[in-house]
Amino acid sequence: MDHPAVTATMSRRDVIEGISVGALIIEGKTKRVWEMPGTGGAKGPAMVLIESKDRITAGDGVKAHEMAGKALISNATNAKVFQILNSVGLKTAFSKTAGDTAFIAHRCQMIPIEWVSRRLATGSFLKRHPGVPEGYRFNPPLQETFYKDDANHDPQWSEQQIVSAGFSYNGLTIGKDEVDFMRRATICVFEVLERAWASRDCALIDMKIEFGVNDQGEILVADVIDSDSWRLWPSGDKRLMKDKQVYRNIVGEVTKSHLEEVKRNFEWVVILMGSPSDEAHCQKIADNCRALGLPTQMRVTSAHKGTEDTLKILAEYEGSDLPIVLIAVAGRSNGLGPVLSGNSCLPVINCPPVKPDNVDKDIWSSVNVPSGLGCATVVYPEAAALMAAQIHALKDHLIWSRLRVRQLQTIASLKAADKILQMLVMEADQEELYFSINLITVMNLLKIDFYIAVFTITYSQFMNLFMINVEC
C-alpha cells in the first residue's frame, strides 16, 4: 500500500516469512510494505506483502518503544479482523496471512483520511467538545474524518474538505458519492466488529480505519486493523481497557493485551415441505439461506396426511438444543405451518409455492390461521431466507453482519445505477433523440437483474421503461 510522506529506511530484502519480495515501497512507524513481483496486470490485481514491526507508538510517533512480540500479536489480530470482514462480504484489501508477522494484500494507493467511528464519548473527543460527559452514547455511531498529517496532528476534516481536495487514485476521483460510500462502510465496519466483540462481553468504544484504491479502481477497506486501531472495554468497564490507551496512560513497560478469537456460532434453518413436488421451491430457499451463511436441512412431511410423523420431526429439532427457524413450504390448504407453530415454540415462516392459477388460495390458506398461532408468511424464497437470517441475527453477530453488508452493497449498486442514468441524461439532447444501448451488458456489470434486451427507442420511452423494469 502506497502511503504519502513516509520515509523508507530499508531498500530491499529478498525473502520475508518465506515469501519472495521485491523493493520496499514504504515504511511507516509500525509496518513495512514490500512489492510482490509477478502480480498485477494479466495475472490479476497487484499485491504487496505488509510486514508488522515490534514497535508501539503514540502522540504522532513522539512516544515510541520497541515491544517484543507486538508484530506477532498485531498480525494475528489484523488477520482475525479482516477474515471476519471478508466473511460477511465487505470488500477489503486483505488476502491472507504470510507467516507470523506479515500478510498479503491488494496494492492500494491510500486515501490520506482516517475514518473514526465512536459509540461512546471519550479521549480526544472530550477535549474537542468540552461539556460533553465521558460515556455519552452515540446512536447511531458518530463518524468523524481526519486528514493524515503528523506535523499538524491530523486535523479534523469535513466531508466538503475531502471532496474539495480533489483526491484521485488509480484513476478514481474521490467525489461526493465515494465519500458517502466510505462513510457508510466505516459505520458498517464498526457495527460488524462491535457485534463480534459484544459476543465476548467486550465493548468496542471507538475505532479508526483507512481506505485505499487498488489497481482496478475499487475502494477497499485497507491498511491494518489491530489493537492500535480501537478502544476496547471488557464488560463496558473503562478500568479493564484492552487497547493502546493503556500505553498512552502509563509510563514504562507496557502490558500486552491478549485478544480472544471470535468464534462462529452454528445456526440452523430447517425447511419442511408438504410434498416432494415442492423441492424446487425449497431448493431456492436453501440456496438463499446458504448464501447468508445459514446451514440448512430439507425434510418432507405432510401435516394432513402424516400428522404424527410431522410432530416426531418437530420434536427431533426442538430437542436438538440448537437455535432453529422452521420454514414451511406447502400449497393449497397449508396445514403444515400452522401445525408446526401450534405445537412448537420455534419460529415458523410459511413460504407457499404459489401458482398463477391458484395464487390467492395458496396465500390465503397460509395467512388465515386460527387464533393462538404466530407463524409468518412470505411469498418469495429470498424473503423466507432473509427473515430466517434476521431472526438468527438477534443472537449471531456474523449473520447480522452479513445482512448489514448486504444493505451496504444494495446502496452501492443503486448509486452506481444512478450514476449511469445521470450520464445517459446528460447525453440526451432532446426528446426526439434515438439511441441504442445494450442494457444487459451494463446491468450485468452492476449485478442488477434486467428484463430488456437490445433495443432502439426514444429517450422519454427509455426513461419510462427504465423506471418500470429495473429490479434491484
Side-chain angles (χ1 to χ4, degrees), residues 97-173:
T97 55
D100 291 338
T101 61
F103 67 95
I104 296 171
H106 288 243
R107 180 169 182 170
C108 293
Q109 291 185 356
M110 298 299 295
I111 301 168
I113 299 293
E114 285 187 349
W115 299 76
V116 177
S117 300
R118 302 184 188 276
R119 178 62 79 185
L120 300 181
T122 191
S124 65
F125 182 88
L126 299 179
K127 296 177 182 178
R128 289 182 283 109
H129 300 274
V132 178
E134 184 167 33
Y136 182 94
R137 187 174 182 86
F138 301 110
N139 289 314
L142 178 71
Q143 196 274 308
E144 298 178 307
T145 46
F146 299 85
Y147 178 61
K148 289 175 65 67
D149 181 1
D150 283 352
N152 291 299
H153 308 293
D154 296 346
Q156 186 170 5
W157 270 26
S158 66
E159 176 182 333
Q160 292 75 20
Q161 286 175 293
I162 300 172
V163 172
S164 299
F167 294 130
S168 182
Y169 301 102
N170 278 329
L172 179 68
T173 299

Side-chain angles (χ1 to χ4, degrees), residues 15 37 46 54 103 146 188 215 229 252 290 304 308 329 343 356 399 423 436 462:
V15 178
D54 282 337
F103 67 95
F146 299 85
C188 184
D215 61 355
S229 307
R290 290 174 183 134
H304 289 123
E308 185 178 350
V329 177
N343 290 275
I399 302 300
M423 291 170 60
S436 295
F462 164 72

Side-chain angles (χ1 to χ4, degrees), residues 281-339:
H281 188 73
C282 291
Q283 189 59 56
K284 292 177 183 178
I285 298 174
D287 290 344
N288 278 282
C289 285
R290 290 174 183 134
L292 291 165
L294 295 172
T296 305
Q297 291 184 354
M298 292 192 293
R299 304 291 295 269
V300 179
T301 185
S302 172
H304 289 123
K305 304 171 187 176
T307 308
E308 185 178 350
D309 287 340
T310 297
L311 295 178
K312 285 181 179 179
I313 292 174
L314 180 60
E316 175 186 334
Y317 288 108
E318 279 212 293
S320 68
D321 199 32
L322 288 170
I324 290 174
V325 175
L326 303 174
I327 299 178
V329 177
R332 297 186 180 179
S333 176
N334 176 20
L336 183 57
V339 166

Side-chain angles (χ1 to χ4, degrees), residues 220-238:
L220 306 176
V221 181
D223 201 58
V224 172
I225 302 177
D226 61 9
S227 52
D228 287 353
S229 307
W230 52 41
R231 284 186 177 88
L232 289 172
W233 296 354
S235 301
D237 190 338
K238 181 181 179 180

Side-chain angles (χ1 to χ4, degrees), residues 172-245:
L172 179 68
T173 299
I174 307 302
K176 293 178 68 174
D177 284 345
E178 288 71 26
V179 170
D180 182 64
F181 169 77
M182 288 185 280
R183 178 182 62 79
R184 293 174 184 271
T186 297
I187 298 299
C188 184
V189 168
F190 180 86
E191 291 177 334
V192 166
L193 297 179
E194 181 182 40
R195 296 261 175 162
W197 279 113
S199 73
R200 293 296 178 264
D201 191 28
C202 195
L204 179 60
I205 305 304
D206 54 37
M207 69 174 298
K208 62 181 180 181
I209 63 172
E210 296 182 39
F211 293 90
V213 182
N214 68 3
D215 61 355
Q216 298 178 348
E218 296 178 298
I219 296 178
L220 306 176
V221 181
D223 201 58
V224 172
I225 302 177
D226 61 9
S227 52
D228 287 353
S229 307
W230 52 41
R231 284 186 177 88
L232 289 172
W233 296 354
S235 301
D237 190 338
K238 181 181 179 180
R239 296 171 299 177
L240 303 177
M241 64 179 70
K242 299 290 184 183
D243 50 62
K244 196 168 75 171
Q245 192 63 38

Side-chain angles (χ1 to χ4, degrees), residues 27-44:
E27 180 170 6
K29 296 185 286 286
T30 60
K31 62 182 175 292
R32 302 182 185 95
V33 182
W34 301 87
E35 286 183 343
M36 289 191 66
T39 64
K43 297 182 179 179

